[in-house]
Amino acid sequence: MVAASGPIMAKVKTRPGPATHIRNGEYSAATRALALGSYFISGCMAINASQFLGAPLYLINKDWYNSWIAFTKQSWGLLTASMTQCWAPTVVRVSGHKSVRGELLETTDGNLLSNFPERMILIANHQIYTDWLYLWWVAYTNGMHGRIYVVLKESLRRIPVIGWGMQFSQFIFLKRNWEEDKDQLAAHLQKLNDAVAPMWLMLFPEGTNLHPVTRKASKKWAAKNKIPDMQHQLLPRSKGLQFCIQQLRKTVPYVYDCTIAYEGVPTGQYASEIFTINAAYFGGKPPKSVNMYWRRFDVWSIPSDNDRDFDNWLRARWIEKDQLLDNYQKTGRFPADTGVDELADGRKRRGAGYIETEIKPNKWYEYLQVFAPVGMLAFVLYMFYGGLPKRFMKDIGERAVEQSQLEGPENLEQLINSAPRIVEVDSTNASTVGAPSKIKITQQTPAAAKKAIRKLGPKRSSVPSPQSKPKPMPGQAARTGRQPKKLNVNNAAGSKPPKLHAKSEVGATSKPTETSHAVANRSAGEAPEKLEVKHGTDVSQVKVAAETKPKSISNPKKLSTHNVGSKTNAPPAAPKLRVGAQPKLAGKSSKAKVAPASDKGNHPPKKLEIKPKPDDNTTTK
């Protein structure tokens, strides 16, 4: 063994730990903390997101769910391995007992290749908080980093993000009260008691890591029970391990024991105080080397049925481990197996000796597996909804441009079209023939119009309801016996009535004129309204109130008139009326019956009919 260890020791001297090259300082520590925190938190959140995405599989198929959770646990192993490689690099030195001969192998590129079985119970002494991290890396070298289950204390369950991931990973949390933990532990072990399902159950029989406080408690327990105390570790607790072996011994053939020691711990001090997480990862001071010594025990050789016998067996194994640690303190090495076994088929199985390597993934790109599920989800969402942000911003831009355009006076037509309006037109009276008409336009925005309509109620709303019954035409009103509304047209006192431009019966026509109401509508972008008058009449003042819908003004209401009588000449500034041929009426003012204008839609436009009262001297056809 000494001859075999000589070249290995020389090899160690030529390969100093990567931590020796790390620069320390105020700015470098802050940079390291920022980079490490960003990578670790983003990785943990990506793994949690992957676990949440796969949670519905539990309701569909439990085997699919377990496979997905195993994938996320592989991601966790790769995350910690890549994190250790970048921020806390160290050398791992592995050796073993002859019981594991042929199961520890070294690849051609110097990496560790473990050949442990797929189902086993793994126990180890607990030196520092990151013991489980290095053991998880050993599971990675065996391809079992997705099928590992850890027994932990209950308080770790409540850690944000990490605790959630541990619960998804089906870790076992114990309260260190056997009466409360027994049923919960049995339920978990029942799920793991499948002979064909890969499973590594990792637990630390000491219950916690080695620390001055725990060291005193262990010493006190040894004195109370009159048993020998340990020097480099804590006394193990046998109840939990014994129960696990009893529940799993039909499907688990072996119990593997790993003794861990860290280089750089002076005698009388504790590794947990030197190699803290803060010092190792944020301060750049990880252990110079992590040393492991492996042994294997047949599960049927363990007296798990008797409490006292099992307690003695476990304590004897811990005494052996304490001696290994004492020897490591003196020599800096664990024993290494270099023997050779000849198999029945003629092959030879050799001991591995010392295998030295670094904690790192085999391929640099393996860490991308951590973010693969979330990245795939983002890619799918981009394929289906990739244009959504662009369309959203485009819609916002179009609305902003449209709003800015509506603010100008040149867009009066769009403003009128988007809000209800009331247009009132006053024609000139007889005394002021030729004076311009008065136009009053009341305009509201759509929001203000809706608000006003709500206040007024459906009966008082100025906007006609699309479901309202259309008003009958004048002819229809006559047939149904309903009298149309009357419009009184009276001349002003002492004024001369305006002359109407009439169409003779023989077909002589004159140029039609437009009312001021039509002029107002034309100024707002509408076609002129037509006023149809039967019989010539003297008009002094006409007031027309027209209500239009906010939908469109391209097709305004039309008022057409026919006047049958003689041809007359109207003043140039008078409202333009289309008048049919009718004998001229003179004298008294006449009253006409006017049918109110109807709404646009599927109904024909209403006609305003002015029928003067005939005089004695007037002959009407």
Side-chain angles (χ1 to χ4, degrees), residues 258-290:
C258 179
T259 305
I260 304 177
Y262 296 94
E263 182 180 352
V265 181
T267 303
Q269 296 187 19
Y270 300 92
S272 60
E273 294 183 324
I274 299 175
F275 304 120
T276 61
I277 296 177
N278 184 36
Y281 287 91
F282 295 100
K285 297 179 181 180
K288 294 182 179 179
S289 65
V290 180

Side-chain angles (χ1 to χ4, degrees), residues 147-352:
R147 298 290 183 172
I148 193 167
Y149 300 86
V150 187
V151 180
L152 302 169
K153 56 185 178 180
E154 178 69 21
S155 59
L156 298 177
R157 181 199 294 265
R158 295 185 290 270
I159 300 177
V161 182
I162 299 177
W164 306 336
M166 291 178 178
Q167 295 180 54
F168 271 112
S169 300
Q170 302 173 356
F171 287 177
I172 303 173
F173 299 92
L174 300 180
K175 299 179 180 178
R176 298 181 180 179
N177 186 331
W178 180 243
E179 297 300 328
E180 298 181 6
D181 295 336
K182 183 177 180 179
D183 295 338
Q184 183 178 358
L185 182 59
H188 281 85
L189 295 178
Q190 184 64 30
K191 297 178 181 179
L192 302 178
N193 204 0
D194 186 357
V196 297
M199 181 272 302
W200 279 20
L201 180 61
M202 181 197 305
L203 67 156
F204 300 95
E206 297 171 81
T208 185
N209 61 341
L210 184 63
H211 190 267
V213 177
T214 59
R215 185 73 189 84
K216 292 180 181 180
S218 178
K219 185 177 181 180
K220 183 179 179 179
W221 175 262
K224 179 181 178 180
N225 292 274
K226 299 180 180 180
I227 56 178
D229 190 19
M230 304 295 169
Q231 296 182 3
H232 307 286
Q233 51 189 355
L234 304 176
L235 283 171
R237 302 184 181 187
S238 60
K239 185 64 70 175
L241 178 59
Q242 180 184 2
F243 187 78
C244 292
I245 294 175
Q246 289 175 349
Q247 297 294 317
L248 301 175
R249 59 186 173 184
K250 293 182 179 180
T251 60
V252 175
Y254 301 106
V255 175
Y256 280 77
D257 170 61
C258 179
T259 305
I260 304 177
Y262 296 94
E263 182 180 352
V265 181
T267 303
Q269 296 187 19
Y270 300 92
S272 60
E273 294 183 324
I274 299 175
F275 304 120
T276 61
I277 296 177
N278 184 36
Y281 287 91
F282 295 100
K285 297 179 181 180
K288 294 182 179 179
S289 65
V290 180
N291 299 266
M292 298 182 181
Y293 183 76
W294 290 84
R295 296 185 295 174
R296 186 183 72 179
F297 302 95
D298 193 331
V299 70
W300 292 106
S301 65
I302 301 173
S304 58
D305 293 331
N306 187 281
D307 295 347
R308 179 178 292 274
D309 292 343
F310 181 82
D311 186 68
N312 293 333
W313 177 88
L314 182 61
R315 194 181 309 114
R317 303 290 81 78
W318 243 247
I319 292 174
E320 295 171 357
K321 293 166 69 71
D322 202 58
Q323 293 174 355
L324 290 170
L325 291 170
D326 187 71
N327 184 63
Y328 177 83
Q329 289 287 339
K330 297 176 181 178
T331 63
R333 296 289 184 274
F334 283 129
D337 175 41
T338 56
V340 180
D341 289 338
E342 291 191 10
L343 304 179
D345 56 0
R347 293 181 302 169
K348 294 182 179 181
R349 185 171 56 189
R350 302 179 183 273

Side-chain angles (χ1 to χ4, degrees), residues 351-366:
Y354 292 99
I355 300 176
E356 295 185 16
T357 185
E358 297 178 6
I359 296 180
K360 62 180 181 179
N362 293 333
K363 304 296 182 181
W364 67 269
Y365 52 80
E366 288 187 68

Side-chain angles (χ1 to χ4, degrees), residues 375-386:
M376 185 62 67
L377 176 63
F379 177 76
V380 171
L381 293 178
Y382 176 79
M383 292 297 294
F384 284 94
Y385 305 102

Side-chain angles (χ1 to χ4, degrees), residues 433 496-502 537-539 568-571 574-575 577 584:
V433 176
K496 185 178 181 180
K499 295 181 180 181
L500 301 179
H501 199 57
T537 182
D538 297 331
V539 181
T568 60
N569 294 327
L577 305 177
K584 181 178 178 182

Side-chain angles (χ1 to χ4, degrees), residues 341-463:
D341 289 338
E342 291 191 10
L343 304 179
D345 56 0
R347 293 181 302 169
K348 294 182 179 181
R349 185 171 56 189
R350 302 179 183 273
Y354 292 99
I355 300 176
E356 295 185 16
T357 185
E358 297 178 6
I359 296 180
K360 62 180 181 179
N362 293 333
K363 304 296 182 181
W364 67 269
Y365 52 80
E366 288 187 68
Y367 79 96
L368 296 176
Q369 176 181 327
V370 177
F371 306 95
V374 178
M376 185 62 67
L377 176 63
F379 177 76
V380 171
L381 293 178
Y382 176 79
M383 292 297 294
F384 284 94
Y385 305 102
L388 184 60
K390 295 181 180 179
R391 291 197 299 268
F392 180 73
M393 297 304 297
K394 184 178 179 181
D395 291 343
I396 293 178
E398 290 178 353
R399 291 182 181 182
V401 172
E402 182 180 357
Q403 186 67 22
S404 63
Q405 291 177 352
L406 291 178
E407 293 175 357
E410 66 277 3
N411 296 282
L412 180 61
E413 181 179 350
Q414 297 184 24
L415 287 172
I416 296 174
N417 188 32
S418 62
R421 70 191 190 284
I422 297 175
V423 181
E424 295 183 0
V425 181
D426 293 341
S427 61
T428 57
N429 53 26
S431 61
T432 56
V433 176
S437 301
K438 297 180 181 180
I439 303 174
K440 181 180 179 182
I441 300 178
T442 304
Q443 181 176 298
Q444 295 180 350
T445 61
K450 291 180 180 178
K451 186 175 180 181
I453 290 171
R454 294 193 197 99
K455 292 182 178 180
L456 292 175
K459 295 183 179 180
R460 299 179 59 186
S461 173
S462 62
V463 179

